[in-house]
Amino acid sequence: MKKIKIGVIGVGYLGEHHARVYSQIKGVQLAGVVDTNKDRADEIARKVGAKPYYDYKDLIDSVDAVSIVVPTPLHYRIASDFLKNGVDILLEKPMTTTVSEAERLLKLAKTKKLILQIGHIERYNSAVKALESIIDRPMYIESRRFGPFADRVSDVDVILDLMIHDIDIVLSLVDSDIRSINATGVSVMTSHNDIANAHIEFKNGCVANLTVSRMSIDKLRKISIYQPETYFTLDYKEQEIILHKRIWNRVNNRMVPEISTENIDLIKEEPLKAELASFIESVKKRKKPIVSGIEGKKALEVALAVLEDTRKRRLLLDEDSNGRSKGAVSRHRR
């Protein structure tokens, strides 16, 4: 069977891992890696046994599919060029900078009948895949995603960097439209939100409370999902799920509720390997990806709505603070 020729556009921290994994997948030929930093392109190309390129346009005619792992402002232009030339793409999250850009990519992929997968890697976590098959009616979701500050993402808001993962997971679990979003954020190290919280209410009554921070010393990646009679705690980092279930026990001649705990057995695998293998499968069989451009656009819409709410709240706080300051000055003058 003919090998699928793959390219990786952008071989920074994450792109290097894309190249590494592709070089290990059977039936795939890593045709080239691209980076505008010539030394970086040469270095990664040597590591994975691929040809280095310094302009993505030089690779377009040599590949069947690509991973695009570049800064988000470049997503739309690069993805558009590959789609126009008949190349399937895996586009890292967030999908684009605007919803209108995402819609144009969706339209282009549909017209060309091409695969457009979005890199929401947590969907390929073995714990998440297991959770999707056992969740019944989630009514409350609590998510916490904390990590240390990294300069390489200092130009991206923490909502688009980290929270969008949890937004995508929540949207995949809750079968309902959103009723309201209330969010707040704080800038600490950058001009963007470095800590943020979103309270999302769905029309079916489910509530999701999402908190993210890149100001933590330790890494924490956990989500809890509550539904009638049971709740689940999932650790993304450890790929573990614990089931907590209400049971009844007789105590002093009356039945009282207690909680039983059970670890769900899982076969763990590297999420990136699962994600890229799934992409290759979609390319081979021409089937819709688990996280297509449609899901990527939905997550982007909600993330941008959360971001906008933090901005509005900050403006109101600034106005209130300025008003109090002026009042204090006026009273002092009197």
Side-chain angles (χ1 to χ4, degrees):
M1 184 179 290
K2 180 184 174 183
K3 287 189 175 183
I4 293 175
K5 294 180 180 178
I6 291 283
V8 178
I9 316 303
V11 285
Y13 172 78
L14 182 56
E16 176 181 357
H17 290 293
H18 277 245
R20 169 183 60 82
V21 172
Y22 281 133
S23 70
Q24 299 168 354
I25 297 178
K26 291 182 179 179
V28 169
Q29 177 188 342
L30 184 56
V33 297
V34 182
D35 205 284
T36 54
N37 182 326
K38 185 178 182 299
D39 291 340
R40 181 67 177 176
D42 290 343
E43 176 192 354
I44 303 306
R46 282 194 299 271
K47 281 185 178 181
V48 298
K51 183 178 178 180
Y53 292 83
Y54 318 114
D55 187 328
Y56 72 89
K57 292 180 180 178
D58 295 334
L59 185 68
I60 287 179
D61 295 330
S62 303
V63 292
D64 304 306
V66 292
S67 276
I68 300 175
V69 199
V70 298
T72 307
L74 301 175
H75 280 193
Y76 176 72
R77 175 167 60 88
I78 296 176
S80 294
D81 284 344
F82 277 101
L83 290 173
K84 287 174 183 176
N85 284 275
V87 178
D88 296 317
I89 62 174
L90 189 163
L91 183 60
E92 265 304 330
K93 61 82 194 166
M95 184 174 176
T96 48
T97 56
T98 67
V99 174
S100 62
E101 286 179 343
E103 289 172 342
R104 291 198 292 274
L105 288 184
L106 277 170
K107 184 177 180 180
L108 185 55
K110 183 178 181 180
T111 300
K112 294 281 189 174
K113 297 181 180 179
L114 293 168
I115 303 299
L116 172 56
Q117 179 171 320
I118 308 305
H120 284 283
I121 193 171
E122 294 291 26
R123 290 277 204 107
Y124 302 88
N125 187 302
S126 59
V128 172
K129 289 192 287 186
L131 183 68
E132 290 172 346
S133 65
I134 56 179
I135 283 291
D136 179 28
R137 188 158 62 93
M139 297 307 296
Y140 184 79
I141 300 173
E142 181 80 29
S143 175
R144 295 167 295 160
R145 186 176 294 266
F146 305 154
F149 180 75
D151 186 59
R152 62 184 173 82
V153 292
S154 62
D155 60 340
V156 182
D157 196 282
V158 73
I159 293 165
L160 294 172
D161 178 32
L162 296 182
M163 188 183 285
I164 196 167
H165 284 296
D166 304 303
I167 289 170
D168 174 63
I169 295 296
V170 168
L171 293 179
S172 74
L173 295 175
V174 183
D175 185 18
S176 176
D177 292 331
I178 291 174
R179 174 181 285 122
S180 65
I181 294 175
N182 289 287
T184 188
V186 177
S187 300
V188 180
M189 295 287 288
T190 72
S191 59
H192 305 282
N193 289 313
D194 295 310
I195 303 171
N197 171 267
H199 181 85
I200 303 174
E201 295 188 14
F202 292 86
K203 290 183 179 179
N204 71 348
C206 182
V207 172
N209 191 54
L210 314 179
T211 305
V212 291
S213 170
R214 53 189 179 200
M215 294 291 100
S216 173
I217 299 299
D218 300 315
K219 275 190 176 182
L220 178 69
R221 305 277 192 274
K222 290 188 176 182
I223 186 169
S224 299
I225 301 101
Y226 299 82
Q227 61 186 30
E229 300 185 9
T230 61
Y231 72 94
F232 304 86
T233 55
L234 184 152
D235 188 319
Y236 292 103
K237 187 167 173 270
E238 301 299 328
Q239 297 190 53
E240 294 177 347
I241 302 178
I242 299 175
L243 164 64
H244 308 267
K245 190 173 183 179
R246 186 188 70 180
I247 59 172
W248 293 93
N249 281 325
R250 183 176 294 278
V251 178
N252 296 327
N253 292 322
R254 67 187 185 93
M255 300 302 290
V256 296
E258 294 183 0
I259 295 175
S260 69
T261 300
E262 174 188 349
N263 288 299
I264 305 296
D265 290 331
L266 300 172
I267 299 175
K268 300 178 183 181
E269 60 180 331
E270 182 185 352
L272 183 61
K273 285 185 178 180
E275 179 184 41
L276 300 192
S278 179
F279 175 54
I280 297 301
E281 189 74 4
S282 290
V283 171
K284 284 181 178 178
K285 297 186 176 180
R286 312 312 300 166
K287 68 177 185 179
K288 180 179 177 289
I290 293 172
V291 189
S292 71
I294 295 171
E295 288 78 24
K297 182 176 83 78
K298 287 179 181 177
L300 177 65
E301 286 175 326
V302 176
L304 290 176
V306 170
L307 180 57
E308 181 60 23
D309 201 62
T310 66
R311 288 171 177 164
K312 288 179 180 178
R313 189 176 298 273
R314 186 174 292 122
L315 285 173
L316 288 173
L317 289 172
D318 288 345
E319 289 174 3
D320 183 55
S321 177
N322 289 335
R324 288 201 306 270
S325 296
K326 289 177 181 178
V329 170
S330 297
R331 288 193 297 273
H332 180 72
R333 284 175 178 170
R334 287 199 297 271

